[in-house]
Amino acid sequence: MQGQLGGALGRHVLLEAYGCKAEVLDSVKGVEKTMIDAALAAGAEIREVAFHKFSPQGVSGVVVISESHLAIHTWPELGYAAIDVFTCGESVNPWDAVNYLIEMFGAESVTANEVKRGIFQGDMTVKVS
Amino acid sequence: MQGQLGGALGRHVLLEAYGCKAEVLDSVKGVEKTMIDAALAAGAEIREVAFHKFSPQGVSGVVVISESHLAIHTWPELGYAAIDVFTCGESVNPWDAVNYLIEMFGAESVTANEVKRGIFQGDMTVKVS
């Protein structure tokens, strides 16, 4: 149960996508479809979907998957999106979704960092003190 | 527009809560209420709420707020919850929600790290190259 997880329960990629087209980031239907398709591209199982369009611009939304979640917040006026891809277990690789999203949003520049979530050292009896 | 944001668009706290009571983490209604109340405790405006109960145990859910989102995934069998509190703007402090959640979930041990999201250096014209 080590592998890519390195003893953690999950892998959480924080993706900053810059230089995206404003009209892409301002379409709630388009952003929702892309986020769902990214989850599916990683082989995740979708459980809940909730998106919201802001006025005058911007989209926020989440896709809850069996393996955790994907989330996005867009600033079309800045060409920027803050994206999270958090997956648990060995069967899904968050980077598959991340790479899909970078391509679909046409980001000119990105930073992406993976954070391990739920690190249990030694026994699993919770008392970390 | 600097202040706590330090030139970023948002502040994202990744909270690891260990040593929580299993029954608290396994109640979808209870977890949902606590997450909503945490958003309100920080003065956030709630836009969308989506929670899911897993079988045999565990809860996943998100609260989309005008200022970004809160998310949670629980492992009742481990007494562990992975929690995200992501807020944008100066009017909401993510740590108000984080402190509320630590207290309400009765975590015995936590780690929490703040990550700045959407960092624009120099001008705001997106081309970061």
Side-chain angles (χ1 to χ4, degrees):
Chain A
M1 216 349 231
Q2 293 280 321
Q4 291 297 315
L5 283 165
L9 293 174
R11 305 164 67 190
H12 185 164
V13 180
L14 288 83
L15 169 64
E16 314 283 293
Y18 300 91
C20 306
K21 289 208 175 88
E23 59 269 28
V24 171
L25 296 186
D26 203 33
S27 163
V28 66
K29 284 291 166 206
V31 169
E32 179 176 327
K33 181 178 189 313
T34 300
M35 293 294 284
I36 288 172
D37 288 347
L40 297 174
E45 183 184 30
I46 293 168
R47 295 290 192 160
E48 307 278 346
V49 177
F51 279 76
H52 187 83
K53 174 78 171 73
F54 290 95
S55 178
Q57 57 196 351
V59 170
S60 282
V62 290
V63 180
V64 178
I65 55 178
S66 295
E67 301 82 3
S68 293
H69 75 268
L70 293 80
I72 187 168
H73 306 283
T74 76
W75 281 257
E77 70 278 25
L78 298 175
Y80 166 74
I83 301 171
D84 293 87
V85 180
F86 180 2
T87 66
C88 298
E90 294 281 0
S91 65
V92 175
N93 183 341
W95 291 96
D96 291 341
V98 167
N99 290 331
Y100 180 88
L101 291 166
I102 291 169
E103 183 181 342
M104 294 303 290
F105 286 128
E108 291 179 357
S109 169
V110 302
T111 65
N113 292 294
E114 179 178 324
V115 178
K116 297 284 191 291
R117 304 294 300 263
I119 298 171
F120 289 83
Q121 289 164 328
D123 66 30
M124 299 284 274
T125 51
V126 172
K127 297 258 181 179
V128 186
S129 80
Chain B
M1 210 0 222
Q2 292 282 320
Q4 292 296 314
L5 284 164
L9 293 175
R11 305 163 67 190
H12 186 164
V13 179
L14 288 82
L15 169 64
E16 313 284 292
Y18 299 92
C20 307
K21 288 207 174 90
E23 60 269 28
V24 171
L25 296 186
D26 204 32
S27 164
V28 65
K29 285 290 166 206
V31 170
E32 179 175 328
K33 181 178 189 313
T34 300
M35 293 294 283
I36 288 172
D37 288 347
L40 296 174
E45 183 185 29
I46 293 169
R47 295 289 192 162
E48 307 278 347
V49 177
F51 278 76
H52 187 83
K53 174 77 171 74
F54 289 95
S55 178
Q57 56 196 351
V59 171
S60 282
V62 289
V63 180
V64 178
I65 55 178
S66 295
E67 301 81 3
S68 292
H69 76 267
L70 292 80
I72 187 167
H73 305 284
T74 76
W75 281 257
E77 71 278 24
L78 298 174
Y80 166 74
I83 301 172
D84 293 86
V85 180
F86 180 3
T87 65
C88 299
E90 294 282 1
S91 65
V92 176
N93 184 341
W95 291 96
D96 291 341
V98 166
N99 290 331
Y100 180 88
L101 291 166
I102 291 169
E103 183 180 342
M104 293 304 290
F105 285 128
E108 291 180 356
S109 169
V110 302
T111 65
N113 292 294
E114 179 179 324
V115 179
K116 298 284 191 293
R117 305 294 300 264
I119 298 171
F120 288 82
Q121 289 163 330
D123 65 31
M124 299 284 275
T125 51
V126 171
K127 296 258 181 178
V128 187
S129 84

